[in-house]
Amino acid sequence: MNLFEYQGKKLYKQYDIPTPTSIFIRSQSELANQESLLFPVVVKAQVQVGGRGKAGGIKLVSSHDELKTAVNEILGMDIKGHRVESLLIEEASTIIKEYYISFTLDRSVKKYLMLLSAKGGMDIEEVAEKNPEDLIKIYISPSEGLTEETIINAIKDANLDPEFTNEIKNIILKLYNLFVAGDCDLVEVNPLAITNNGVLALDSKITLDMNAEYRHEEFNEFEADIPIPDSEAFAKSKGLNFIKLDGSVGIIGNGAGLVMSTLDVVSEHGGKAANFLDIGGGAKAETVTAALEVLESDSNVKSVLINIFGGITRCDLVAEGIVEATKGKFLKWPIIVRLDGTNSKEGLKILSQFKNEKIIISESMDEAAKLAVKESQ
Amino acid sequence: MSIFIDKNTKVVVQGLTGREGQFHALRNRDYGTQVVAGTRPGKGGEEIQGIPIFNTVEEAINATGANTAMTFVPPAFAKDAVLEAAIAGCNLIVCITEGIPAKDEAEMYDILKNTTNAMLLGPNCPGLISPGKSNVGIMPHEITKEGNVGVVSRSGTLTYQAVHELTKLNIGQSTCIGIGGDPVPGMSFIDVLDAFEKDEQTNAIVMIGEIGGSAEEEAAEFIKNNISKPVISYIAGVTAPPGKKMGHAGAIVSGNKGTAKAKIEALTEAGVKVVKNPTQIGKAIEDVI
């Protein structure tokens, strides 16, 4: 899950990483609480999209009146399709130097990767491409961790200002701690700046590993503040992995790979998927019932394709879920069902005994997709 | 021959007392797999349908000679369970558990690699089956058939789909392996491809990939230099919108890296025939054997 800048900075404070003094507001009226801020301040639109500065979503102001005007302008602004719902207002600093630092997992090496560069404040991918020698890469063994010595050497190799080595080293240790103990998939600071107020993390890009949600209460809070479509929120509350797309064939399947593949096959037959919906492994009957409920709320759906290959998921339970969800109800669209694998015979028997003419059993994935596309047109 | 498991594989199930653990362990046993023990701290001395339960993997190994662990324990305890099995001496650990934090996976992999000789399959994988010999995991054995095609996949259910397409055409499999779609899988495509190349029973390979990460690109490079047997591949996610995370932690598209297009190009360039639809896998294999 990608965090907004203000959420990332909450984590910075929690992990003692220096960042400008700020307030966070969702409306003009909350401005009354900002008496304590020292001007000049920077007003920053909270949107999860790059290029907000160029789009007018960041403004430097030096008085209350200017602040009010800027807040008025930026709140509600549309930045590349993202509506600005909230603002972070930070005390401005004079920037002397801008650096780049990030922590991620390098999947191919199976180690953590720290990237450090003296060329912060700009597009780091461009630096990596044009001046790769300016980007220091440090691989970190997950079981051994990051030592002070490694950091000091990296700071030297990246040609950061030696006067600030100790201060930056301490910040890097804290960022690493946030990355590991905070279960982040990504911690990126661009820029980490030397300012007249010391070294500060001026921006924040953090992605959380939601598999670690069970050991972080704060993940729930952050999640509650990130807007997602109602249908996705409902699906999530039912333990379903759902993403809305813009076609007319509703898709339900088990396993991300099979569902993605179902999208591909529907597309190959000239149709367009209305969604991605993975009921996951070991789904019970009520999971399937909830999945059909999610699709009912999408008026674009014209046909539904249920593609199940049972492994840990049992086809009989899927069939029971279909029966449960459709029993005694008028079905808006035909449901094409393909069941294979664990307990598929039992599942198909349940469906054929149920005898609902809108539920069509198909023998193969390809046939099922073809049929679902035809019914959607 | 098959790879990694055979008739002599003796399995200890971590989490045998849970719903899924029990269901699949008993299915594995019915298939003919030697499921010799289960573990559950505090439940040592009990048994489940004739399978003795031990408090620790070490006790289970001492009493039964188990050499392979199959792990169903919940995400919060999975890292410790896998490490326990490795330290106790299991040479193969099949971790079915889904939803383990990436940090736990990375640490677990690092410790296994640095301090033990154990091979880890998964986490978040369906396990592996050598048809006619042994099934360790959650794959539906009904769709398999003993034969000469090796199947390796990052996705569980797509593995079944591929196997099903082969069996429908009466083409059997030597071993079918799901390596899992998580950020830090134990065995990689390369480990499995290498084993298939050396396996006498295997004479062709099916490799199923998906968007995200660079495992398929690395596999393509390995195939070009090291694999002489024909390889058929399918990559899921051609139509997935970029930037959307579709389920698997592994299936994330960012920028140009990890797209289906980049993977298909790399594999094609390595001499692999890439089919557009998983239902074409059977026919494509028929053409090369």
Side-chain angles (χ1 to χ4, degrees), chain A residues 107-108 110 112 141-143 179 184 209 211 214-215 241 243 254 256 258 261 264 267-268 276 309-312 338 366, chain B residues 19 24 76 100-104 109-110 140 157 160-161 185-186 218 234 237-239 245-247 249-250 277-278:
Chain A
R107 288 162 178 240
S108 50
K110 299 179 177 182
Y112 304 145
S141 150
S143 61
F179 173 68
C184 303
D209 172 9
N211 278 352
Y214 70 85
R215 58 190 181 201
N241 192 338
I243 297 167
N254 64 321
L258 185 66
S261 177
D264 293 346
S267 154
E268 204 192 319
F276 170 99
F309 215 118
I312 203 160
R338 180 274 182 137
D366 216 26
Chain B
R19 184 179 82 123
H24 291 283
I100 302 175
K103 295 291 174 312
D104 287 11
Y109 179 85
D110 215 35
T157 42
Y160 316 157
Q161 182 68 46
E218 285 148 27
Y234 167 72
V238 175
T239 55
K245 183 171 169 174
M246 295 197 155
N277 176 326

Side-chain angles (χ1 to χ4, degrees), chain A residues 16-302:
Chain A
D16 198 27
I17 296 152
T19 189
T21 307
S22 66
I23 60 158
F24 170 71
I25 63 165
R26 291 180 193 277
S27 68
Q28 182 78 252
S29 62
E30 289 171 73
L31 260 186
N33 311 327
Q34 62 75 48
E35 299 301 326
S36 56
L37 280 187
L38 294 174
F39 284 96
V41 297
V42 189
V43 183
K44 297 165 104 176
Q46 297 299 293
V47 281
Q48 293 190 345
V49 63
R52 62 184 170 159
K54 275 186 194 151
I58 298 181
K59 283 223 160 76
L60 179 70
V61 299
S62 47
S63 71
H64 279 287
D65 286 348
E66 279 180 39
L67 176 60
K68 270 186 195 161
T69 315
V71 167
N72 234 347
E73 267 175 39
I74 303 176
L75 263 185
M77 182 188 263
D78 181 280
I79 299 180
K80 297 180 185 169
H82 296 242
R83 199 182 128 87
V84 181
E85 304 279 5
S86 59
L87 302 172
L88 186 67
I89 303 172
E90 290 185 332
E91 286 183 1
S93 322
T94 308
I95 295 170
I96 299 158
K97 280 188 177 118
E98 293 184 300
Y99 300 144
Y100 172 93
I101 175 156
S102 67
F103 289 98
T104 48
L105 169 75
D106 186 322
R107 288 162 178 240
S108 50
V109 185
K110 299 179 177 182
K111 287 176 190 290
Y112 304 145
L113 173 63
M114 175 174 98
L115 294 176
L116 187 63
S117 174
K119 297 201 166 164
M122 58 178 96
D123 183 0
I124 200 66
E125 281 171 46
E126 206 181 303
V127 176
E129 201 174 298
K130 290 185 183 155
N131 307 86
E133 69 284 359
D134 288 338
L135 193 62
I136 303 300
K137 290 183 175 183
I138 306 287
Y139 287 98
I140 305 158
S141 150
S143 61
E144 287 159 18
L146 183 60
T147 65
E148 295 205 3
E149 196 192 343
T150 308
I151 301 175
I152 291 169
N153 287 334
I155 291 173
K156 228 180 269 170
D157 292 344
N159 286 320
L160 307 192
D161 189 336
E163 198 187 318
F164 293 89
T165 298
N166 201 41
E167 206 172 325
I168 293 172
K169 178 205 76 192
N170 288 332
I171 293 174
I172 291 178
L173 276 175
K174 286 170 185 171
L175 286 167
Y176 180 69
N177 186 33
L178 164 61
F179 173 68
V180 177
D183 278 304
C184 303
D185 283 339
L186 167 75
V187 173
E188 183 181 70
V189 190
N190 189 19
L192 177 74
I194 297 178
T195 74
N196 58 328
N197 297 317
V199 183
L200 294 174
L202 290 188
D203 197 7
S204 155
K205 268 212 186 86
I206 289 179
T207 307
L208 300 178
D209 172 9
M210 295 312 279
N211 278 352
E213 197 172 4
Y214 70 85
R215 58 190 181 201
H216 295 280
E217 278 176 18
E218 72 273 20
F219 282 21
N220 277 322
E221 275 166 51
F222 290 143
E223 201 175 12
D225 281 346
I226 294 174
I228 52 169
D230 288 348
S231 53
E232 290 185 20
F234 174 76
K236 203 180 175 304
S237 73
K238 298 284 180 186
L240 302 168
N241 192 338
F242 173 80
I243 297 167
K244 181 151 173 28
L245 303 170
D246 51 10
S248 57
V249 183
I251 310 272
I252 296 173
N254 64 321
L258 185 66
V259 182
M260 269 193 283
S261 177
T262 310
L263 261 55
D264 293 346
V265 176
V266 161
S267 154
E268 204 192 319
H269 289 301
K272 248 186 132 184
N275 64 279
F276 170 99
L277 200 166
D278 175 10
I279 58 171
K284 297 179 204 146
E286 52 263 38
T287 322
V288 180
T289 312
L292 281 164
E293 258 177 71
V294 171
L295 296 198
E296 270 171 26
S297 67
D298 182 352
S299 58
N300 290 338
V301 173
K302 298 285 179 283

Side-chain angles (χ1 to χ4, degrees), chain B residues 81-187:
Chain B
V82 167
L83 292 176
E84 184 202 338
I87 291 162
C90 289
N91 48 39
L92 174 66
I93 302 157
V94 178
C95 184
I96 309 293
T97 308
E98 179 179 354
I100 302 175
K103 295 291 174 312
D104 287 11
E105 288 185 5
E107 230 177 275
M108 176 167 91
Y109 179 85
D110 215 35
I111 297 171
L112 282 182
K113 192 169 152 268
N114 295 339
T115 63
T116 75
N117 291 318
M119 292 186 293
L120 171 67
L121 181 62
N124 191 12
C125 81
L128 72 173
I129 179 169
S130 292
K133 302 186 185 80
S134 183
N135 184 10
V136 181
I138 62 175
M139 281 203 225
H141 57 77
E142 297 87 345
I143 58 168
T144 65
K145 175 186 160 65
E146 192 166 358
N148 307 104
V149 177
V151 179
V152 59
S153 167
R154 243 167 93 184
S155 151
T157 42
L158 266 182
T159 318
Y160 316 157
Q161 182 68 46
V163 170
H164 176 72
E165 298 297 339
L166 293 172
T167 302
K168 258 198 328 202
L169 296 181
N170 218 18
I171 301 167
Q173 305 90 37
S174 54
T175 302
C176 312
I177 300 190
I179 58 173
D182 272 5
V184 193
M187 274 189 220

